[in-house]
Amino acid sequence: MRLSKLYMPTLREDPQDAEIASHKFLLRAGMIRKSASGIYTYLPLGYRSIRKIENIVREEMDKAGAMEILMSAIQPAEIWKESGRWEKFGPEMFKLKDRNDREFCLGPTAEEYFTTLIRDEVKSYKDLPLNLYQIQTKYRDEKRPRFGINRAREFSMKDAYTFDTSPETLHIAYMNMYKAYEKIFDRLELDYKIVEGDNGAMGGTGSHEFIALSETGEGVIVYSESGKFGATEEKAPVEYAMPAHEDKKELEKVHTPKASTIEEVAKFLKVDEKKCAKAVDLMLGDEPVIVFIPGDRELNMAKLVSYTGVAEHDIRMMEESDIEAIKSKKGYTGPIGLDVRKIFDKRVAEMDNLIVGANEEDYHYINANYGRDFEGEVVEDLLLVSQGDKVPGTDEEYKFARGIEVGNIFKLGTKYSEALNATYLDERGKANYFYMGSYGVGITRSVTAIIEQNHDDNGIIWPMAVAPYEAIITIVNVKDDEQVALGEKIYDELKKKGVEVLLDDRKERAGVKFKDRDLIGIPLRITCGKKSGESFVEYSTRKEMENFEISSEDAIKNVLNEIEKVR
Amino acid sequence: MRLSKLYMPTLREDPQDAEIASHKFLLRAGMIRKSASGIYTYLPLGYRSIRKIENIVREEMDKAGAMEILMSAIQPAEIWKESGRWEKFGPEMFKLKDRNDREFCLGPTAEEYFTTLIRDEVKSYKDLPLNLYQIQTKYRDEKRPRFGINRAREFSMKDAYTFDTSPETLHIAYMNMYKAYEKIFDRLELDYKIVEGDNGAMGGTGSHEFIALSETGEGVIVYSESGKFGATEEKAPVEYAMPAHEDKKELEKVHTPKASTIEEVAKFLKVDEKKCAKAVDLMLGDEPVIVFIPGDRELNMAKLVSYTGVAEHDIRMMEESDIEAIKSKKGYTGPIGLDVRKIFDKRVAEMDNLIVGANEEDYHYINANYGRDFEGEVVEDLLLVSQGDKVPGTDEEYKFARGIEVGNIFKLGTKYSEALNATYLDERGKANYFYMGSYGVGITRSVTAIIEQNHDDNGIIWPMAVAPYEAIITIVNVKDDEQVALGEKIYDELKKKGVEVLLDDRKERAGVKFKDRDLIGIPLRITCGKKSGESFVEYSTRKEMENFEISSEDAIKNVLNEIEKVR
């Protein structure tokens, strides 16, 4: 492709709202354009990279025995109502009505859609196992779309679903996808970690996330140096160092003037924060719920969601009026005598002589003990992991890293087949629920992860496998016939060899051409300059940026060699 | 791919609501499934054919110098309001709101979207001409979705837009696409005609439609045997044989009891229907409009839309109350003394001594003459072409045919660039509107056209270029080791040669396998039966259905030869 013809509207300046490198460079390199908040157009160069990623994903899915289908982006409301997720999904779901007032949504995910497709067709165990996937546009009406196509409201995803007859065969299908995903992300040349994930709104019995490491990532993962353990921050179990046991003392109400935070109370009473039970005052939908955790820790909202089954968007902090409605006082909520739903992290239930709020301004109880003074629901682990925590059962401290979630795999089990009554007949003619798995790869998000990991101050450094073009020839001065002749000759030759090559034949200053070349990040570069008459060019790679003066034949050989390596 | 693994839920029975062959066979062959009215899922075999069509379209577009991009399926309302089409598009447009109550639509077409994309980026004549395209899902909330994916509410389209500096360069871009489309539809092996099209809701200065001939098509085209002329029924000009001129006689009101139709009036007054002016009583939005045409002809609604600019979905026949509101009488509307907007086909204005309704029950006027007795807007041609009409300027009668519109190309001119104020700067620094063209190919609709033209009673007969697989090997009896061994051997060999091949290794009766094979329509077939021990197979093509007993080596050669022909 000639740059004189290519639609590549590069920008000199950094766009104002672009906070991270991938967003900034995709805009500046003329690869994407915003058309509304969180909605993007993929321009020629950007779309080429996306399609390369799609094809890598497609190849590995096909190799793994999955079959490609395509479902509609609009899904009928009925199936979501049947599964109970129509309301549950909340405002993240785009909803619409057709001319006959029938309700639809723009699919944010497709568990219901795949399950009902199969439910109506697959009758027998003979047709199982089954692995179907699609590469399709998904929609989530994010509250705060940002980071360009990293967290957009419309994005391209590969989603696969497997259907099996047992947890054992589901596990085989799951590990098959696990391995396919390793191949996919290896081919995308991503630096990634595989961690145990939280099942979140998907439900199910196990999951892994594929996290591309990046300081700009929104996800936090924890892992052990030895590599034996990895999980999302939400999922990571917390082994809390308990204070020593004490004899239970008598409950006593004490005056704690103006001490409404854990820090203030601990300071006033001259005790460790661990001795205080932290009350987190929440509304789960319309229900007031107070969660109690050790005073020096934070609540892990994902674990609470998983325990209660209430979606995170339906959970909010209580306002003062909510607290007064349960006859307590802001800053002084405590479990004793409070007649609402109370949920305790197990450690709180096991510690002796705690300090708790007295539901009265400026008063706390000391020496409060679970079982004797208060009771409620006890949950194994509701804590967020923190610096210094150890990987359970080991002496290793958790390591922390940030990353971008580019893939996830879930064992759904029979959650959706039960909800949607999807069964097959086994050998004995008995109806059984399908065991399902779901598997996602963020196509457009992978683009952002690749760029976050592969750029410098001047632009993108595409890995060969996903670069929009493999090589670029720059004619320094298009008024110089020798330069033009040599550039055109190399261009023809490379095209003939099947190389995806750009020719910068624009009437632009050399500086503009070099800047654009760095910005769009084509891996292999040939510059036709002053020595063109002698058939000498400069050869460099985007990664190394070092120029070598070599013959045009050698430059062509270099390009072909590099391409050979990755094909 | 092994049929034992392939997800191909074939059906023995014809689905009830499938009226045409493509709908019936796509369902029966397990290639598509309906998920809501006019909304379909493409299953593995069906989606493979769709992707092959996509790739043919992509290759020819790329060769023609167009560049692929991808825009969102959801488009912000603002740009449609700016062009004035937000309301105009009517109930066919799916509309929705996001969480912040901002309005969007699911794009039914993309003139506004492309124009605003370019408007904000392309500043100079130096960046022109430009040809951008996408292969994307479009949405139209059809009143009556039917014929499966032929007239669905969601469909895949290739749409391209060109941007030029003058009508002359637009014409070059237009003819470039015209030729690319010929290549595309030739490669799809469609029997098609290119006809002049009606510009309809798109506006603009010229268009052609690519019509795949089929008795089940919804479009009617007319053409001349000599091939010199072709047009859609809507577009075809009508050369009306005028009755001989007469001297104007005196206007007279006559009693015509119970004669409210043209037929009744002509019979009662013993005259030719041509002598009567037919009044078509319409509401154009809220405005009453009476259109007058010769009594023996039908109104061409597309021509009226083109003249008035009122969209077809905003036009309806008057009800009795509407007619009474304009002080006339149903069956007796006429132009004399009627104080509403009146539009006359030119022939009515030129004929002498007409019979027209008297706006009074059981009365007509005779000897009514335009200019003397009534006046209004006169339009060159508002008639629908009919059997026996001649191609204007020739002695040839129009031929009629039905077909499926698989492609269309439009010269939009400056319609959208003016409406959306999209300009570039010319050599002298002056702002000019872009000259635009738009070009569509129905991807999913092409599938239906191909099947309508290529099927028999037993199923689809895929042309090689778009067949989901090129060859199928049937092992007649999978309990016979020799048959299995030979089938597997041929399968491996063909795969190694890059042939897209299916192996029917299912534990099914031979009859089921043969029926399925005919139904899914794979072009080349090898049957491993009783002579497998001697390495003999039966070879046939789906088209010919004739079986030849040949050696397995010869069968492989045949397959490779056939594939060679089309690649």
Side-chain angles (χ1 to χ4, degrees), chain B residues 472-498:
Chain B
I472 182 167
I473 303 158
T474 305
I475 299 172
V476 175
N477 179 0
V478 291
K479 286 178 190 156
D480 180 326
D481 291 344
E482 287 177 340
Q483 293 185 20
V484 172
L486 185 63
E488 294 280 351
K489 194 181 146 214
I490 300 171
Y491 180 57
D492 285 343
E493 203 142 330
L494 289 179
K495 274 203 301 182
K496 229 177 277 168
K497 301 274 188 189

Side-chain angles (χ1 to χ4, degrees), chain A residues 419-463:
Chain A
L420 295 157
N421 197 30
T423 60
Y424 66 93
L425 298 177
D426 66 15
E427 286 94 330
R428 288 157 302 170
K430 195 174 149 270
N432 287 295
Y433 293 119
F434 294 102
Y435 280 84
M436 292 173 54
S438 81
Y439 315 88
V441 170
I443 304 283
T444 37
R445 184 175 283 180
S446 288
V447 176
T448 69
I450 290 166
I451 298 175
E452 290 302 322
Q453 290 186 1
N454 298 280
H455 70 270
D456 59 17
D457 290 347
N458 301 318
I460 302 166
I461 307 171
W462 287 110

Side-chain angles (χ1 to χ4, degrees), chain A residues 199-319:
Chain A
N199 276 52
M202 297 299 160
T205 56
S207 75
H208 284 91
E209 294 186 4
F210 292 72
I211 306 284
L213 298 178
S214 164
E215 274 313 304
T216 59
E218 290 185 277
V220 175
I221 59 165
V222 298
Y223 60 97
S224 65
E225 188 73 54
S226 65
K228 279 182 196 132
F229 182 84
T232 57
E233 190 183 41
E234 290 79 22
K235 174 76 178 177
V238 173
E239 210 175 63
Y240 183 73
M242 293 283 280
H245 270 294
E246 301 171 2
D247 289 336
K248 288 185 174 53
K249 296 179 197 160
E250 203 173 323
L251 185 70
E252 192 183 327
K253 193 180 197 176
V254 298
H255 190 222
T256 52
K258 289 186 181 155
S260 67
T261 67
I262 295 288
E263 201 186 342
E264 288 161 350
V265 175
K267 203 172 161 189
F268 181 80
L269 296 175
K270 298 193 177 67
V271 295
D272 194 289
E273 289 185 2
K274 283 186 174 222
K275 294 296 285 180
C276 305
K278 181 187 281 183
V280 187
D281 310 336
L282 298 172
M283 296 299 294
L284 272 59
D286 293 333
E287 187 188 25
V289 173
I290 316 291
V291 181
F292 296 94
I293 56 172
D296 59 341
R297 304 308 291 249
E298 298 298 325
L299 173 63
N300 184 323
M301 199 55 89
K303 290 179 182 174
L304 184 69
V305 166
S306 166
Y307 171 69
T308 61
V310 178
E312 189 158 350
H313 64 78
D314 275 336
I315 301 180
R316 63 172 175 84
M317 294 302 292
M318 279 187 175
E319 307 196 1

Side-chain angles (χ1 to χ4, degrees), chain A residues 29 51 151 221 245 276 328 335 372 388 391 397 465 491 528 566:
Chain A
R51 300 220 320 120
R151 185 169 284 275
I221 59 165
H245 270 294
C276 305
S328 186
R372 186 189 71 183
V391 181
E397 274 187 14
Y491 180 58
C528 298
V566 294

